[in-house]
Amino acid sequence: MSSFIFLHSDSYADNLKQNDQEKLEIYLDKAFHALRNLSDSTIYYAEHLLNLSKGYNNIKGENFAYQILGSYYIKKGQITLGFDYQMRALALSESEKDWTNVSTINNNIGVYFFRKKDYEKALKYYQAALKAIHRDMEEAPEITNDLYDHEVSMMLNIGEVYLMWEQYELALKYEDAALINAMKYQFSDSEAYILAVKAQILYQLGKEKDALKHISEALIYFKKTANVDAQLEYELIYAKYQFESKYYDKARKSALSVLALSELKEAKHWNCEAYELLSIIEKQTGHWKSAFQYQSKYTLLKQELDNNEITARLTDIKESYNADKKNAEIYALKIQNELTEQVVSHQTKFIYVMVIVLFLGIISVYFLLKFNNNIKSAYHKISEKNSEIEAQSEEILSQRDHLQEYVEMLDSKNRRISSALNYAHRIQSATLPSRKSIELLVDKLILVYKPRDIVSGDFYYSSGILNRNNEKIGVVAGLDCTGHGIPGAFMSLIGNGILNELIKVENYTCPSEILEQLNIRIQDTLKQKDISTIQDGMDISICTINYTQKTATISSAKSSWLYFQNDRMHVMKGCRRSIGGIDLHTHPFVSHTIDLSSSPTQFYFYSDGYQDQIGGPKNKKFLVKRFRNLIASIQHLAPNKQEELLQKSLEDWRSIDDEPQTDDILVFGFTLKA
């Protein structure tokens, strides 16, 4: 539901001349219309509005111009420029205490972050928008329906953020508050969207019947108002909820309704989603033939949608070529018609000259010479235009050849990238310690390492046996770098290299000191003290084993870990600080020392990939509680059996809906004897 909002003002200024105000309103309306269509003319109209507003010293018009330009550039992907314009608008609104516009701008920034799934920043701006609208209500002599409607939109947006965060009780609180005002002031459109969002919250809370009732009421309104986009989105959700509640016939009916409407409106995205859901429904109800047909249509349409970008580019170039060719033909015909008209005109003049020649011989000679020069000039112009047309045709053909070369270049680059990734995998594998080298440090090694892509952002570390101050020690660690694939792999190589330098060259052995130094080296290596640079980093649990003193000292950065002693599980939460990026927490890293002299102790380090895996009967995350219970149930088994059960549990969880692996996975367990 989250969308960009603009609130129009009834008047720009009381002292503005009527004619000047009309000019501003014309450019404002044209700019809004162009922005809705994301037309490049948005810049033209908005900049004219900006220049006129500055000339008239009209701050409200200047504010609207900045907002429109900011929204346009953000939608076009020029984020830095777009935010610069939005911040100018925000500063103007705050200086003028225009709280309505302050709220609008904060909402629009929040919508951008919501669509980028940066819910923390989205919530920050949504809450600022709600605070501004409340301040406007406090200071306004009369609270208008527009202000109440704006307040409802803000509460609806905040509720959606908490829904995405799975904080369902908070989400429900905001949606209920929004629904009360929407019903009280008869904001029917907002009421329908609130019911649809509230239905999703109730469904997650296990209140399936209430959820189905709310989403059904919302759909009645969307159908009544012919809101096709909302109807497609929420009827598909309605169908999914019916399916998960085992109302298979109703689910099929709703999915078919989405399919029919999406085909009618040529909404291929929803068309594709409907095919996929129908194939699942038919498979569940044993209609294998129908399931296969829908799955086939889904696969074909998905491939078509995936190729849309290349197809669109080819189409644009082809249309451009045809348009240029047609324009050239029209221009040639126009020149020919002009020439014909000139010839006819000159012939007429020639006849008149012949009639008058008897009386004005000298004048007739003059006109004959002039006529001859005009004919030459006309033919010369035609020759020049023909040359231009030929040059344009050659340029169009050249563009077509260049496009073919571009497509071939893309294929070649794809092959080279695949080859490079496979080679990168071999390099990364070579940097990881072997199983045998780790088993020299620990007993009963459990190692589950599953990259999501060819290369991984998760990795494990082992220093080998070290002698420090006449004491025999060893260091092991499990790390989860930001991202996965190539970015994560780069971070893993940087982290592995710095750990080797700190432990093996500079002789650091205290885990908390290693983490402090690792954080500093990562920030220096990636130049992260400049906020505009890359802010990637890593989470880590690191253990120093002192075989002489029979102790294990562990410190962790934003990474929880487990250990078992005397068959009792201890859950240890990591420091809130992460390694790398902008460091908002100043607390030092803490080390925990565990005595190994009394009994064998089992340790488990892990990344968040296992617990974040989507799957299961309700297509949700595995979650950390279920993961810890699984570890507790298998920790007494042999290492190979533990690894087997961890792999099997993960595959069983994914296989219910054939979900792909969502992140890199690392489970690194080991036992230290007394």
Side-chain angles (χ1 to χ4, degrees), residues 3 7 10 16 27 32 69 134 153 161 165 167 175 179 331 342 351 391 436 444 496 499 624 669:
S3 58
L7 294 180
D10 294 332
L16 198 63
Y27 279 111
F32 271 126
L69 287 167
H134 284 162
S153 297
V161 172
W165 266 349
Q167 296 185 28
E175 297 303 331
L179 184 60
Y331 192 78
Q342 287 182 15
I351 292 171
K436 287 184 178 180
K444 296 183 180 179
N496 189 69
L499 282 174
V624 69

Side-chain angles (χ1 to χ4, degrees), residues 32 37 64 76 96 127 136 226 228 239 280 291 358 399 428 432 471 477 492-493 517 526 552 622 638 647:
F32 271 126
N37 297 317
F64 277 129
K76 280 289 190 178
E96 292 293 305
Q127 288 176 334
D136 203 2
V228 175
I280 294 170
L358 295 174
Q399 289 177 355
Q428 187 180 40
L432 295 174
E471 292 182 334
S492 74
L493 293 174
Q517 290 299 318
L526 299 181
F622 195 85
Q647 295 272 18

Side-chain angles (χ1 to χ4, degrees), residues 559-573:
S559 177
S560 298
W561 50 283
L562 309 173
Y563 77 94
F564 293 83
Q565 203 169 52
N566 297 322
D567 289 330
R568 180 185 173 191
M569 181 172 73
H570 302 265
V571 178
M572 306 298 289
K573 292 188 177 180

